[in-house]
Structure formats: structure tokens, C-alpha cells
Amino acid sequence: MTKPMVEKKRIPKNPIKYSVELTDEQKEVKRLIHTHKVTLLYGEAGTSKTFCSAISALDLIFTKQFKKLYIMRPAVATEAIGYLPGSASEKLSYYTIPLISNLYKAYNKQKIDSMINEGIIETMPLAFIQGITIDSEEILICDESQNITKAQFKAILTRLGKGGKLIFTGDTDQVMLENPSKSGFSQLLTLCGQIPDMACKELKTNYRDEFVQQILNLYH
């Protein structure tokens, strides 16, 4: 019997040219994401958590190690979602703008838009996570994870299939839930060091205007 031909992955010979040069701290984050099934990035506002997750996921796709990127961000805001224009799906798209913007920052906007149109990059509402498996060659980025409840975290973490990858970003000082005690982010941080395939990294360098760091130091 003739064996079916296995498609050979074409790995780029040259390094991918991104729009931004990574710092040593960001390169370490990228290494952790590449070598672990689950990665948790945490730190204050402006420490490039979302950007690091975005560029690391793109790198895994461009080097043919993964084929699909799901992006998720809990629909939590200081104002009711009803004030936003458009349909329900269009309203939810507002919440993923920061992650999409970071994909644009990392690479060519036209290429990112093409990947979205082709379904390589796809937005996934948190409400749809049950029944989904993040399977082989699929990545899920959960941005602003401090606004995910304990029950929702359990639902997401148990969706990991063989060969899949999960990336969480969050900041315990930016919880926007009506009842902050329901956030499961702090509990997830307590698992750091207990599970071999889970990496945790605190980002400390602030990449925004120095005014932001001054506010974080003085405004409580």
C-alpha cells in the first residue's frame, strides 16, 4: 500500500522582519511562549504584555509551527455595551481593537488584514469557549485576563487540546468587574511554578510616556 504523502512545512530560511525591534525582556517573553503550552504575562499598564503576546503568536504562525490564532478579550467596560454602535458582533469587535492594533504594530497591516479575512486570525467571544478545543497548531490569546472570572478561567484552561497553546495577559490593578473579588487572575498567578508546562513572566519595563509611570507610582 502506498503511504499518503505528508505535506512538508516550509520554514522561512531568513528571520521574519518585524516592524519593531524587541528588547531583551521581550525576547525572553517570546522564548517562554514558544516553549510552553500555557504562558501568563502580567505587569502594570504599558509594559507591552499585549504586544509581546501578539508578536510571539505571529512568529509561531509565520514559521509554520501553528496555523490559527484566536484572540479573546472579555467584554467588560466602565460603560454599558449598549452605548456602542452596531450589531452585537460589531460591539464585541470594539473590545479586540487593542490586540488587533498590536498585531498591526508588529507587522504589515495589509498582511494582518489578509490573515483576518482568510480566517487565520479570528476573534472568539468568551461566551463561546465551552465546547471548543484549542487543538493542535492553534493558539488562543486571552487579553485583559484580570477581567475573567474563576469559573471562566477554568472553562478556558480545560479547552486546551494536544498541541494547542494558551497565552494570558493581565494586570491585577486593572480589574473592571463589578465585583473585583470574582476575578480569577490572582488565583491563576498562584499556580506559577507548580505546573511544568505553564510559564509566568512579570513585565516591568514601561514602554509608554514616562508620565504613565509617574501616574502609576503616585495615583492610587
Side-chain angles (χ1 to χ4, degrees):
M1 179 182 289
T2 304
K3 294 183 178 180
M5 293 183 64
V6 178
E7 182 182 353
K8 187 176 182 181
K9 296 180 179 180
R10 293 190 307 153
I11 299 176
K13 294 180 180 179
N14 300 315
I16 310 299
K17 293 183 179 180
Y18 295 103
S19 303
V20 178
E21 185 71 26
L22 298 184
T23 66
D24 289 341
E25 181 183 53
Q26 291 170 333
K27 288 177 182 177
E28 172 62 10
V29 170
K30 181 179 171 182
R31 185 192 69 78
L32 290 173
I33 290 174
H34 280 220
T35 55
H36 291 80
K37 293 179 181 179
V38 179
T39 306
L40 176 60
L41 307 179
Y42 62 103
E44 295 181 330
T47 52
S48 79
K49 302 179 295 295
T50 302
F51 173 75
C52 284
S53 66
I55 197 170
S56 298
L58 282 178
D59 199 64
L60 288 166
I61 292 176
F62 289 156
T63 55
K64 310 297 182 181
Q65 298 177 65
F66 285 77
K67 294 181 178 179
K68 179 92 174 182
L69 170 60
Y70 291 106
I71 59 176
M72 175 187 292
R73 196 166 182 257
V76 176
T78 54
E79 295 186 49
I81 190 172
Y83 288 104
L84 296 174
S87 64
S89 60
E90 289 172 332
K91 289 176 181 179
L92 286 171
S93 70
Y94 284 93
Y95 290 95
T96 58
I97 287 175
L99 227 168
I100 297 294
S101 295
N102 276 278
L103 291 171
Y104 289 156
K105 181 180 178 182
Y107 204 70
N108 178 273
K109 181 180 183 298
Q110 185 176 359
K111 175 63 175 177
I112 299 302
D113 286 340
S114 175
M115 293 169 74
I116 293 172
N117 292 332
E118 293 172 19
I120 297 172
I121 298 173
E122 184 178 336
T123 300
M124 180 188 293
L126 181 55
F128 290 1
I129 194 64
Q130 288 185 315
I132 297 292
T133 299
I134 306 303
D135 229 326
S136 176
E137 300 182 322
E138 294 181 340
I139 308 167
L140 171 63
I141 297 177
C142 295
D143 198 28
E144 301 293 353
S145 295
Q146 72 276 356
N147 293 321
I148 296 177
T149 67
K150 296 174 184 178
Q152 289 170 333
F153 262 121
K154 188 174 182 180
I156 297 169
L157 291 165
T158 54
R159 297 299 96 199
L160 182 63
K162 293 184 182 297
K165 192 178 289 289
L166 303 177
I167 305 169
F168 298 95
T169 74
D171 177 6
T172 54
D173 288 335
Q174 296 190 69
V175 179
M176 295 294 181
L177 295 171
E178 288 186 15
N179 184 351
S181 66
K182 289 187 176 181
S183 171
F185 193 68
S186 293
Q187 183 177 352
L188 189 60
L189 284 172
T190 66
L191 300 182
C192 293
Q194 298 186 50
I195 304 174
D197 285 320
M198 178 177 172
C200 298
K201 175 69 175 178
E202 180 181 9
L203 290 148
K204 297 181 179 180
T205 304
N206 199 301
Y207 295 90
R208 293 179 184 165
D209 192 276
E210 61 181 18
F211 174 84
V212 174
Q213 190 61 59
Q214 294 171 7
I215 285 292
L216 291 172
N217 293 338
L218 301 172
Y219 193 85
H220 301 286

